[in-house]
Amino acid sequence: PRLAMNPIHTHALLGLLHAYGYTGLALVVGLECLGLPLPGEGALIVTAIYAGSTHELNPTLVVVAAALGAIAGQTVGYWIGLKVGHRLLRRHGHRIGLSWRRLALGRMLFRRHGVKLVVAARFIIVMRVITAMLAGANQMSWKRFLVANVVGSVIWASFYGIGASMLGTQMKHSSGPIGIAMGVVVALVALVGGWLAHRHQRRLTGVSIRARQSAT
């Protein structure tokens, strides 16, 4: 799971932040939206905790950078889906992490929930990668997609960014067993969250496969 980053990944991420700052965070989040195996959500959480605990980064700008990265990445994904179309995604999507199972899952959920999915997809690991492309491939109105994209990205970045920066501030002022306990809780929440997301993805994928088989 992407949220469960090991110390090596965390160290590499912090090095990226030192070198590129907010631009690095926006880049990681944006590229994740295009299907690259990067920990966009984990990067936001780690960066926000780092900002709250060290004050070397501005927590507000961390939220803004993550939101802009998500908006930009999903916008590119939308235009790829609009211009390239579903047929080409089905043929070559596996090269960027869009297997036919993920495409089937996205089509099923997109048909049922439409615009609401673009907003909600920011909080679902597998869906945040494919929803923008499916929105374009399914000829969703650009204006409707843009509004949903901005709203979903801002809510997502604010939710994780503000919460994690507040946690980082509390960890800075906590010492001894309290600080250690808070660190353990953060790690457990990340692990459990990633496991639950992976389990939910497998269940939804199974539903989409059964629906496809029954349709044929």
Side-chain angles (χ1 to χ4, degrees), residues 176-186:
I178 296 178
I180 295 174
M182 292 181 67
V184 171
V185 169
V186 172

Side-chain angles (χ1 to χ4, degrees), residues 3-209:
L3 288 179
M5 296 190 298
N6 61 39
I8 296 177
H9 293 160
T10 302
H11 179 75
L13 176 60
L14 291 176
L16 177 66
L17 294 174
H18 276 297
Y20 301 102
Y22 309 108
T23 303
L25 173 62
L27 185 63
V28 170
V29 172
L31 290 177
E32 185 204 31
C33 295
L34 294 177
L36 273 68
L38 296 173
E41 194 167 277
L44 171 57
I45 293 173
V46 171
T47 305
I49 291 177
Y50 179 77
S53 60
T54 66
H55 300 295
E56 293 186 16
L57 294 174
N58 188 314
T60 300
L61 294 181
V62 168
V63 172
V64 172
L68 290 178
I71 292 170
Q74 293 191 138
T75 299
V76 173
Y78 172 87
W79 286 107
I80 290 175
L82 185 66
K83 299 298 182 180
V84 174
H86 178 72
R87 180 177 299 178
L88 197 56
L89 285 177
R90 180 177 174 82
R91 183 179 300 174
H92 301 290
H94 65 279
R95 298 180 180 179
I96 56 172
L98 297 180
S99 64
W100 71 267
R101 293 191 176 190
R102 286 188 172 185
L103 289 173
L105 169 62
R107 287 200 306 273
M108 180 191 72
L109 294 180
F110 193 86
R111 286 197 302 267
R112 291 185 179 181
H113 301 287
V115 175
K116 295 182 292 184
L117 183 58
V118 177
V119 176
R122 285 307 313 166
F123 296 87
I124 306 174
I125 292 178
V126 61
M127 293 308 302
R128 78 169 60 112
V129 175
I130 65 176
T131 300
M133 292 186 183
L134 287 175
N138 286 279
Q139 303 294 314
M140 180 179 177
S141 166
W142 162 243
K143 292 182 179 179
R144 294 172 65 199
F145 172 79
L146 179 61
V147 171
N149 182 18
V150 172
V151 170
S153 298
V154 170
I155 293 176
W156 169 80
S158 300
F159 177 80
Y160 284 107
I162 294 174
S165 65
M166 292 176 63
L167 177 60
T169 301
Q170 291 297 321
M171 291 175 65
K172 177 182 179 180
H173 296 293
S174 300
S175 60
I178 296 178
I180 295 174
M182 292 181 67
V184 171
V185 169
V186 172
L188 288 176
V189 169
L191 287 170
V192 173
W195 176 76
L196 289 175
H198 181 67
R199 181 179 179 183
H200 188 59
Q201 172 187 338
R202 290 181 59 187
R203 183 177 65 82
L204 288 176
T205 302
V207 171
S208 66
I209 293 173

